[in-house]
Amino acid sequence: MAELLTKAKDQVVEALSQATAAVSLGAPSDAVYVDEAAGDDQAGDGSQGKPFKTVLGAFISRASDTINVYVRQAAAEGEAQGSYAAATASAKKKATKLLQQHRNKLAKDEERRKREEVEGEARRAAELKKLDDAKAIVIDEPKEDSTKIKVRQAVEQRGKRVRVFGWVHRLRQQGGMTFVVLRDGTGYLQCVLSGRLSQTYDALTLTLESTVQITGVINQLPEGKTAPDGHELTADWFSVVGKAPGGDEAFLNKVNEDADPSQLADARHLVIRGENASAVLKVRAALLSSFRESYINLGLLEVTPPCMVQTQVEGGSTLFGFDYYGQEAYLTQSSQLYLETCLPSLGDVFCVQESFRAEKSHTRRHLSEYTHVEAELAFLTFKDLLEHIEELICQTIDRVLADPKIKELIDFLWGGKGKFEAPSRPFMRMDYREAIAWLNEHNITRPGEDGVEGQHVVGDDIAEAAERKMTDMIGRPIFLINFPKEIKSFYMSRIPGDEGFTESVDLLMPNVGEIVGGSMRMNDLDELLEAYKTEGISPDPYYWYTDQRKYGTCPHGGYGLGLERLLAWLLNRYTVRECSLYPRWTGRCTP
Ligand code: 4AD
């Protein structure tokens, strides 16, 4: 109760003091208040509680310079706040001048807005009329003969009348002409539509990614002018085959460099139309045919093993399983075991097959599905195997680089960031135990079990980061060989006399790390049966693999190469995801 009384008393005192202040100022009831320190021209309303900041603000709000303005004075000594006094004549005069300037500016702004509105309408009307008139321009196709060509044939067809089909890759209207860079997958061709051709409705409303056919003559460009292949097609006719949308649905609104990565992944089907992505895919194709040519030169035969299998090769943790007519089956991790079965019937063999790994890790070098180039060779030593891998890689890369068109794409993809250097032979050979010592000498640590970083020890499965650091520091291809048996696959043969280690190899490349994994295979039946046991896998589904050791065993070895990893190295790509047509990784199976 006492509290309530005190509060009521305070309110009365406050009201009285305000009334007194107003009375003592003699301010009229329509007075507008300004507080240059605490007021606000936008949020204020001119009351004592919400004063304006400037006299001009008060004038603008009341649209008049004849109002009664009261300005808060500086506080006198002992006063918490100064009281209000009528604005001085000079302050009012200055504000009147500013008000006039403000009004002039508003009038000018309004005038400009109206002018722009009228001009805008006129422009729109003119555009509509132009489009309407354009509909009336009908250009018949000239009767003259033409040769249907792909863009890649353009150079040899210069000077003749040709017909090309393709997608509008770039588009520019300039000086009454329409410049189209046409793309058909085999190249880019600049086409120029001029005169009435560029005034047609189709030319005026053309959009990126529309499909068109264009006829005309291809002419070499004079010195100083640039276009793909140094020539351009002077069109005499064109027609739209399929129009792509403009506005919100326009291609560049779906695919652009600033888009979020997951949006770009969803739009991969459109992204591959771009110059970078399509260049990667073209080099990929060249690389694949170069691999095949190298294999033919080296005397290996291509086979196509199945993708649906009932055996694991590289451990159960990365298997994709599925129900196969009521039986358990998997997507293949590697075709190795099948390749081994071909040796007695076909000799040395290779395959280019998709492999699948249920990788939980989101690294830049792992995919859930990748293209696996694998080979298997009979009657050879581990040394022979390493030399074969070296020969295969060098021959394949040299051939790719010898193709000027492909070399141009590789240089384009490296951009300004250096240049691809073909590896020189021999590749460095480094024993696993040497690598452990090298890592420790260079203070490249590994995370310990308790999370504390520590020195590497023999037996460690060298982590990706450490391996990459070492490879980047050495800066050349490394054959890392002779891994401990515990960290490698069950089928790898042991080093004679050093049974804790295997005749195994990982080929490491700068910037990417491991691109090849291979080994000699156990060829002794009992040793293999023992290895199944150690691995904890039943020998039953492997009967056909085991039979290789029964019906004429032989020393043999092979390897698998991840095509996307090799491409990432060759094309200086940040991730293997850029090197696959439709990459799959954890959680991503579209498009
Ligand atoms: O080292 P890996 O697992 O070896 C094998 O599968 C053997 N059976 C191959 C053989 O001897 N025939 O895999 C071989 C290569 C790796 O060096 C790597 O380049 C690639 O396959 N690779 C992957 N590439 C992309 N994403 C993944 N998840 C990969 N896993 C392996």
Side-chain angles (χ1 to χ4, degrees), residues 313-314 333-336 339 357 359 365-368 370 372 374-376 488 491 506 514-519 521 558-565 576:
V313 191
E314 299 301 330
Q333 289 174 312
S334 157
S335 299
Q336 176 198 324
L339 292 184
R357 304 282 169 103
E359 299 277 5
R365 66 182 204 186
H366 284 99
L367 292 165
S368 302
Y370 70 95
H372 208 168
E374 293 182 274
E376 206 62 33
K488 283 291 178 187
Y491 52 74
D506 279 0
E514 181 200 328
I515 65 161
V516 174
S519 76
R521 325 300 193 190
Y559 55 89
L561 174 148
L563 191 76
E564 292 79 7
R565 289 197 188 173
V576 287

Coordinates of all heavy atoms in Angstrom, one line a residue, residues 313-314 333-336 339 357 359 365-368 370 372 374-376 488 491 506 514-519 521 558-565 576, ligand 1:
V313 N 36.0 -58.3 -51.5 CA 37.4 -58.3 -51.8 C 38.2 -57.4 -50.9 O 39.3 -57.7 -50.4 CB 37.6 -57.8 -53.3 CG1 39.1 -58.0 -53.7 CG2 36.7 -58.4 -54.2
E314 N 37.6 -56.3 -50.5 CA 38.3 -55.3 -49.7 C 37.7 -55.0 -48.4 O 37.6 -53.9 -47.9 CB 38.4 -54.0 -50.5 CG 39.2 -54.1 -51.8 CD 40.6 -54.6 -51.6 OE1 41.3 -54.4 -50.6 OE2 41.1 -55.4 -52.5
Q333 N 33.2 -54.6 -55.2 CA 34.2 -53.6 -54.7 C 35.4 -53.6 -55.6 O 36.1 -52.6 -55.6 CB 34.7 -54.1 -53.3 CG 33.7 -54.0 -52.2 CD 34.3 -54.7 -50.9 OE1 34.8 -55.8 -51.0 NE2 34.2 -54.0 -49.8
S334 N 35.5 -54.7 -56.3 CA 36.7 -54.8 -57.2 C 36.5 -56.0 -58.0 O 35.9 -57.0 -57.6 CB 38.0 -54.9 -56.3 OG 39.0 -55.6 -57.1
S335 N 37.0 -56.0 -59.3 CA 36.8 -57.2 -60.2 C 38.0 -58.1 -60.1 O 38.1 -59.1 -60.9 CB 36.6 -56.7 -61.6 OG 35.4 -55.9 -61.7
Q336 N 38.9 -57.8 -59.2 CA 40.1 -58.6 -59.1 C 40.0 -60.1 -59.1 O 40.6 -60.8 -59.9 CB 40.9 -58.1 -57.8 CG 42.2 -58.9 -57.6 CD 42.6 -58.8 -56.2 OE1 42.5 -57.8 -55.5 NE2 43.2 -59.9 -55.6
L339 N 39.1 -61.3 -62.5 CA 40.2 -61.2 -63.4 C 41.2 -62.4 -63.2 O 41.7 -62.9 -64.2 CB 41.0 -59.9 -63.2 CG 40.2 -58.6 -63.6 CD1 41.1 -57.4 -63.5 CD2 39.7 -58.7 -65.0
R357 N 31.8 -48.6 -53.1 CA 32.3 -48.7 -51.8 C 31.3 -47.9 -50.9 O 31.1 -46.7 -51.2 CB 33.7 -48.0 -51.7 CG 34.7 -48.6 -52.6 CD 35.3 -49.9 -52.0 NE 36.1 -50.6 -53.0 CZ 37.4 -50.7 -53.0 NH1 38.1 -50.1 -52.0 NH2 38.1 -51.3 -53.9
E359 N 31.5 -45.9 -48.5 CA 32.4 -45.2 -47.7 C 31.6 -44.2 -46.8 O 30.8 -43.4 -47.3 CB 33.3 -44.3 -48.7 CG 34.1 -45.2 -49.6 CD 35.4 -45.7 -49.0 OE1 35.6 -45.5 -47.8 OE2 36.2 -46.3 -49.7
R365 N 38.6 -37.5 -51.9 CA 39.0 -38.5 -52.9 C 38.2 -39.8 -52.8 O 38.6 -40.8 -53.4 CB 40.5 -38.8 -52.7 CG 40.9 -39.4 -51.4 CD 42.4 -39.6 -51.3 NE 42.8 -40.7 -50.4 CZ 44.0 -41.0 -50.1 NH1 45.0 -40.3 -50.6 NH2 44.2 -42.0 -49.2
H366 N 37.1 -39.8 -52.1 CA 36.3 -41.0 -52.0 C 34.9 -40.8 -52.7 O 34.2 -39.8 -52.5 CB 36.0 -41.4 -50.5 CG 37.2 -42.0 -49.9 ND1 38.1 -41.3 -49.1 CD2 37.7 -43.3 -50.0 CE1 39.1 -42.1 -48.7 NE2 38.9 -43.3 -49.3
L367 N 34.5 -41.8 -53.5 CA 33.2 -41.8 -54.1 C 32.6 -43.1 -53.7 O 33.3 -44.1 -53.3 CB 33.3 -41.8 -55.6 CG 33.9 -40.5 -56.2 CD1 34.3 -40.8 -57.7 CD2 32.8 -39.5 -56.2
S368 N 31.3 -43.2 -53.7 CA 30.6 -44.5 -53.4 C 30.6 -45.4 -54.6 O 30.5 -46.6 -54.5 CB 29.1 -44.2 -53.0 OG 29.2 -43.4 -51.9
Y370 N 32.9 -45.7 -58.3 CA 34.0 -45.1 -59.1 C 34.3 -46.0 -60.2 O 34.0 -47.2 -60.2 CB 35.2 -44.7 -58.2 CG 35.9 -45.9 -57.7 CD1 37.1 -46.4 -58.3 CD2 35.5 -46.5 -56.5 CE1 37.8 -47.5 -57.8 CE2 36.2 -47.6 -56.0 CZ 37.3 -48.1 -56.6 OH 38.0 -49.1 -56.1
H372 N 36.9 -48.2 -62.1 CA 38.0 -48.9 -61.6 C 38.7 -49.6 -62.8 O 38.1 -50.4 -63.5 CB 37.5 -50.0 -60.6 CG 38.5 -50.4 -59.6 ND1 38.1 -51.2 -58.5 CD2 39.8 -50.2 -59.4 CE1 39.2 -51.4 -57.7 NE2 40.2 -50.8 -58.3
E374 N 41.4 -52.1 -63.8 CA 42.1 -53.2 -63.0 C 42.7 -54.1 -64.0 O 42.2 -54.3 -65.1 CB 41.1 -54.0 -62.2 CG 40.5 -53.1 -61.0 CD 39.6 -54.0 -60.1 OE1 38.4 -54.1 -60.5 OE2 40.1 -54.5 -59.1
A375 N 43.8 -54.7 -63.6 CA 44.5 -55.7 -64.5 C 45.1 -56.8 -63.6 O 45.4 -56.6 -62.4 CB 45.6 -55.0 -65.3
E376 N 45.3 -57.9 -64.3 CA 45.9 -59.1 -63.6 C 46.9 -59.7 -64.6 O 46.5 -59.9 -65.7 CB 44.7 -60.0 -63.2 CG 45.0 -60.9 -62.1 CD 45.2 -60.2 -60.7 OE1 44.7 -59.2 -60.5 OE2 46.0 -60.8 -59.9
K488 N 46.5 -55.0 -44.7 CA 46.3 -55.2 -46.1 C 45.3 -56.4 -46.3 O 45.0 -57.1 -45.4 CB 47.6 -55.4 -46.9 CG 48.3 -54.1 -47.2 CD 47.5 -53.2 -48.1 CE 48.2 -51.9 -48.4 NZ 47.4 -51.0 -49.2
Y491 N 44.2 -61.6 -49.5 CA 44.7 -62.4 -50.6 C 46.2 -62.0 -51.0 O 46.8 -62.6 -51.9 CB 43.9 -62.1 -51.9 CG 43.7 -60.7 -52.2 CD1 44.7 -59.9 -52.7 CD2 42.5 -60.0 -51.9 CE1 44.6 -58.6 -52.9 CE2 42.3 -58.7 -52.1 CZ 43.4 -57.9 -52.6 OH 43.3 -56.6 -52.9
D506 N 51.1 -49.3 -53.1 CA 50.2 -48.2 -53.4 C 51.0 -47.2 -54.2 O 52.1 -46.8 -53.8 CB 49.8 -47.5 -52.1 CG 48.7 -48.2 -51.3 OD1 48.2 -49.3 -51.8 OD2 48.3 -47.8 -50.2
E514 N 46.9 -41.7 -53.0 CA 46.9 -43.1 -53.6 C 46.0 -43.1 -54.8 O 44.8 -42.8 -54.7 CB 46.4 -44.1 -52.6 CG 46.3 -45.5 -53.1 CD 45.4 -46.4 -52.3 OE1 45.3 -46.2 -51.1 OE2 44.8 -47.3 -52.9
I515 N 46.5 -43.5 -56.0 CA 45.7 -43.7 -57.1 C 45.6 -45.1 -57.6 O 44.8 -45.5 -58.3 CB 46.1 -42.8 -58.3 CG1 47.4 -43.1 -58.9 CG2 46.0 -41.3 -58.0 CD1 47.6 -42.6 -60.3
V516 N 46.7 -45.9 -57.1 CA 46.7 -47.4 -57.5 C 46.9 -48.2 -56.2 O 47.7 -47.8 -55.4 CB 47.8 -47.7 -58.5 CG1 47.9 -49.2 -58.8 CG2 47.6 -46.9 -59.8
G517 N 46.2 -49.3 -56.1 CA 46.5 -50.3 -55.1 C 46.7 -51.6 -55.7 O 45.8 -52.0 -56.5
G518 N 47.8 -52.3 -55.4 CA 48.0 -53.6 -56.0 C 48.8 -54.5 -55.2 O 49.3 -54.1 -54.2
S519 N 49.0 -55.7 -55.7 CA 49.9 -56.7 -55.0 C 50.1 -57.9 -55.8 O 49.4 -58.2 -56.8 CB 49.2 -57.1 -53.7 OG 48.2 -58.0 -53.9
R521 N 49.6 -62.0 -55.6 CA 48.5 -62.8 -54.9 C 49.0 -64.1 -54.3 O 49.9 -64.7 -55.0 CB 47.3 -63.1 -55.9 CG 47.1 -62.0 -56.9 CD 46.7 -60.7 -56.3 NE 46.1 -59.7 -57.3 CZ 45.9 -58.5 -57.1 NH1 46.2 -57.9 -55.9 NH2 45.3 -57.7 -58.0
G558 N 48.4 -58.1 -59.6 CA 47.6 -57.2 -60.3 C 47.3 -55.9 -59.5 O 47.9 -55.8 -58.4
Y559 N 46.4 -55.1 -60.0 CA 46.2 -53.8 -59.3 C 44.9 -53.2 -59.8 O 44.3 -53.6 -60.8 CB 47.4 -52.8 -59.6 CG 47.5 -52.7 -61.1 CD1 46.8 -51.7 -61.8 CD2 48.3 -53.6 -61.8 CE1 46.9 -51.6 -63.2 CE2 48.4 -53.5 -63.2 CZ 47.7 -52.5 -63.9 OH 47.8 -52.4 -65.3
G560 N 44.5 -52.2 -59.0 CA 43.3 -51.4 -59.4 C 43.7 -49.9 -59.4 O 44.4 -49.5 -58.5
L561 N 43.2 -49.2 -60.4 CA 43.5 -47.8 -60.4 C 42.1 -47.0 -60.4 O 41.2 -47.3 -61.2 CB 44.3 -47.5 -61.7 CG 44.6 -46.0 -62.1 CD1 45.9 -46.0 -62.8 CD2 43.5 -45.4 -62.9
G562 N 42.0 -46.0 -59.6 CA 40.8 -45.2 -59.5 C 40.9 -44.1 -60.6 O 41.7 -43.2 -60.5
L563 N 40.0 -44.2 -61.6 CA 40.1 -43.3 -62.8 C 39.9 -41.9 -62.3 O 40.6 -41.0 -62.8 CB 39.1 -43.7 -63.8 CG 39.2 -43.0 -65.1 CD1 40.4 -43.5 -65.9 CD2 38.0 -43.0 -65.9
E564 N 38.9 -41.7 -61.4 CA 38.6 -40.3 -61.0 C 39.8 -39.7 -60.2 O 40.1 -38.5 -60.3 CB 37.4 -40.2 -60.1 CG 36.1 -40.6 -60.9 CD 35.9 -42.0 -61.1 OE1 36.7 -42.9 -60.6 OE2 34.9 -42.4 -61.8
R565 N 40.5 -40.5 -59.5 CA 41.7 -40.0 -58.8 C 42.8 -39.6 -59.7 O 43.5 -38.6 -59.6 CB 42.2 -41.0 -57.8 CG 41.3 -41.2 -56.6 CD 41.9 -41.9 -55.4 NE 41.0 -42.2 -54.4 CZ 41.3 -42.9 -53.3 NH1 42.5 -43.4 -53.2 NH2 40.4 -43.2 -52.4
V576 N 37.6 -35.6 -56.5 CA 37.2 -36.7 -57.5 C 35.8 -36.5 -57.9 O 35.4 -37.0 -59.0 CB 37.4 -38.1 -56.9 CG1 38.9 -38.4 -56.8 CG2 36.7 -38.3 -55.6
Ligands
4AD1 O1 43.3 -50.1 -53.0 P1 42.0 -50.7 -53.5 O2 40.9 -50.9 -52.5 O3 42.3 -52.1 -54.2 C1 41.5 -52.9 -54.7 O4 40.3 -52.8 -54.8 C2 42.2 -54.1 -55.3 N1 41.3 -55.3 -55.2 C3 42.4 -53.7 -56.8 C4 43.2 -54.8 -57.5 O5 44.2 -55.2 -57.1 N2 42.6 -55.2 -58.6 O6 41.4 -49.8 -54.6 C5 42.2 -49.6 -55.8 C6 42.1 -48.1 -56.2 C7 42.6 -47.1 -55.2 O7 44.0 -47.0 -55.3 C8 41.9 -45.9 -55.5 O8 42.5 -45.2 -56.6 C9 40.6 -46.4 -56.0 O9 40.8 -47.8 -56.4 N3 39.6 -46.3 -55.0 C10 38.6 -45.3 -54.9 N4 38.4 -44.3 -55.7 C11 37.4 -43.4 -55.4 N5 36.6 -43.6 -54.3 C12 36.8 -44.7 -53.5 N6 35.9 -44.9 -52.5 C13 37.8 -45.6 -53.8 N7 38.3 -46.7 -53.2 C14 39.4 -47.1 -53.9

